[in-house]
Amino acid sequence: MAARITGLTTRLITVPLLRSWGAEAPENHVIVTELTTDDGGTGHGFSWTPTIGPQAVQALLDYDIAPFIRGLEANPEIVWDQLWKRLHEAGGGGLTTIAMAGVDLALWDLKARQAGTSVTGLLGQRRESVEVYGSGVNLHYTLDQLVEQAQRWVAAGHNAVKIKVGKPELREDAERVAAVRQVIGPDRLLMIDANQRWDLAHTFRALDVLGEYGLEWLEEPIRADDLWAYRRLRKHSPVPIALGENVHTIYRFRDFIEAEAVDIIQPNIVRVGGITPFRRIVELARANSIRVAPHLLPELSGQLALTLAEAVSVEDVEDASFEQLGLLAGPSPVRITNSNGQSTLSSTGGPGLGFEFTGKPTQPLPASGDVITGAASPGSAASESKGNRIEYSNS
């Protein structure tokens, strides 16, 4: 007889970033989930948001999701479909799918643990390692800081890097892109991300100027809701168009693919609702010969990347992994290494998803000589919320 879900508990951990993502995003929020079943099983998962709605996500999990899933068969595919229908009144994506990821990840973790393997092993590992590209939330960096970051990426063995664009003056974007291209040389891939800051007209002007720097892709230049604009953009763009971190459902990914409005999709595993919908979206892309580049969260995205039929590269934002932020009580489930001048990610092969979150996250000190923009100082407070109770850690 299949095991049934008996309970779901949550706790919210907020931790300052070592390298601030700007005034609007100085910290990250992780909602840790623990799911139990009537056969004594326990699954561990999480939801995540860098800025908006961590308390709302936790409230959805505590007050709407936990009562609904209690008594359901502990099957991630079955639970996901029923839960999405249940929550759709509150929205088909966004906060609802972010919250759903906390359940879906816990169920996959449970399933793998009960099978005596990792989630990577459970899904079928297809390769020993995947390539990692260097990324940074760096639009607020000075030009000198951006150049120094690019130099660190080269030293770390990244053969592809991504920077932010979207300065008030296009000439400043051009200066920054040119400077990074000079540092990384002609053979490394260079991607740019405008984070939905432009309209269609400005995007075309920017491509006229920036396209000469040999760009691998232009990421989300326009508001991700604007399918009409993306269809026109891709039709005339000399640079491949990437989007997806702000697309939350397989139906919306289908709309962009069928409209021939995108070259590379970038689903964020948490924002789409977990491993279950992520795998469906990847298969949709594969059937339509569309490239996939998972968005952020290398310790999670990397594990899934090792199982995909088509090779993908994994995004690693500098000094922003869970391990680097002090969020993990145990070892990271993945290992990023520089071997023979190339940065790659491999699995450590731990049980389940391999995440063991600390109750009181601490901030590691920056390495000597590093320039840390907006770094958390030693002793800065990280907070943990359990239900209505807030605990602060000054360690």
Side-chain angles (χ1 to χ4, degrees), residues 60 65 80-101 225 246-253 268-274 277 280-281:
L60 271 171
I65 293 176
W80 199 94
D81 289 338
Q82 292 189 36
L83 187 54
W84 191 72
K85 291 177 183 178
R86 170 68 176 177
L87 297 178
H88 198 272
E89 178 184 333
L95 289 176
T96 50
T97 46
I98 291 170
M100 287 176 66
D225 306 82
N246 290 295
V247 178
H248 303 116
T249 70
I250 192 170
Y251 302 106
R252 197 59 176 158
F253 279 104
N268 179 291
I269 295 175
V270 168
R271 287 177 177 170
V272 299
R280 296 172 182 177
I281 291 164

Side-chain angles (χ1 to χ4, degrees), residues 50-346:
T51 52
I52 303 299
Q55 293 83 7
V57 170
Q58 187 177 25
L60 271 171
L61 284 160
D62 288 343
Y63 297 106
D64 294 287
I65 293 176
F68 178 76
I69 65 172
R70 192 173 296 118
L72 294 182
E73 181 182 336
N75 180 309
E77 300 266 357
I78 293 173
V79 171
W80 199 94
D81 289 338
Q82 292 189 36
L83 187 54
W84 191 72
K85 291 177 183 178
R86 170 68 176 177
L87 297 178
H88 198 272
E89 178 184 333
L95 289 176
T96 50
T97 46
I98 291 170
M100 287 176 66
V103 173
D104 189 72
L105 295 181
L107 285 168
W108 281 105
D109 177 80
L110 171 67
K111 189 173 183 178
R113 288 177 184 272
Q114 291 181 330
T117 186
S118 64
V119 167
T120 299
L122 179 71
L123 296 177
Q125 184 169 342
R126 295 174 182 257
R127 51 189 54 84
E128 290 299 316
S129 65
V130 292
E131 187 171 353
V132 177
Y133 72 87
S135 182
V137 184
N138 47 30
L139 189 62
H140 59 296
Y141 282 23
T142 67
L143 181 60
D144 287 343
Q145 288 174 330
L146 181 62
V147 166
E148 290 168 359
Q149 184 175 54
Q151 292 169 339
R152 291 194 295 272
W153 285 332
V154 171
H158 293 300
N159 291 325
V161 305
K162 185 172 76 179
I163 67 169
K164 302 295 184 182
V165 292
K167 287 290 189 179
E169 298 294 333
L170 183 54
R171 60 172 175 78
E172 191 173 358
D173 279 333
E175 180 183 23
R176 294 163 72 87
V177 173
V180 171
R181 173 54 79 190
Q182 184 174 10
V183 170
I184 69 173
D187 297 327
R188 290 183 177 84
L189 303 182
L190 174 59
M191 297 84 81
I192 59 172
D193 180 2
N195 280 122
Q196 309 178 100
R197 287 184 170 87
W198 298 338
D199 60 18
L200 182 61
H202 185 90
T203 301
F204 281 127
R205 290 195 296 272
L207 284 169
D208 286 341
V209 174
L210 305 178
E212 67 180 85
Y213 295 106
L215 302 176
E216 178 70 7
W217 74 58
L218 168 60
E219 184 172 330
E220 286 199 352
I222 304 164
R223 184 62 59 184
D225 306 82
D226 197 344
L227 175 59
W228 177 88
Y230 274 100
R231 186 167 54 238
R232 291 195 63 192
L233 173 61
R234 182 176 180 265
K235 184 177 180 180
H236 300 288
S237 174
V239 175
I241 301 301
L243 64 82
E245 67 177 272
N246 290 295
V247 178
H248 303 116
T249 70
I250 192 170
Y251 302 106
R252 197 59 176 158
F253 279 104
R254 178 202 60 192
D255 292 343
F256 275 91
I257 292 171
E258 289 194 351
E260 299 182 346
V262 64
D263 295 286
I264 302 111
I265 63 165
Q266 302 169 296
N268 179 291
I269 295 175
V270 168
R271 287 177 177 170
V272 299
I275 292 171
T276 297
F278 174 78
R279 296 176 74 211
R280 296 172 182 177
I281 291 164
V282 169
E283 284 306 304
L284 171 69
R286 184 185 178 204
N288 287 274
S289 300
I290 297 292
R291 290 170 56 192
V292 175
H295 176 253
L296 296 186
L297 304 173
E299 286 140 317
L300 176 60
S301 297
Q303 294 187 66
L304 272 292
L306 294 168
T307 72
L308 301 183
E310 307 290 341
V312 302
S313 57
V314 174
E315 180 177 15
D316 184 25
V317 175
E318 187 178 27
D319 292 333
S321 71
F322 286 169
E323 183 178 39
Q324 289 165 324
L325 294 178
L327 282 163
L328 300 182
S332 172
V334 302
R335 184 182 299 108
I336 296 177
T337 57
N338 179 354
S339 178
N340 299 319
Q342 182 173 350
S343 181
T344 59
L345 177 148
S346 58

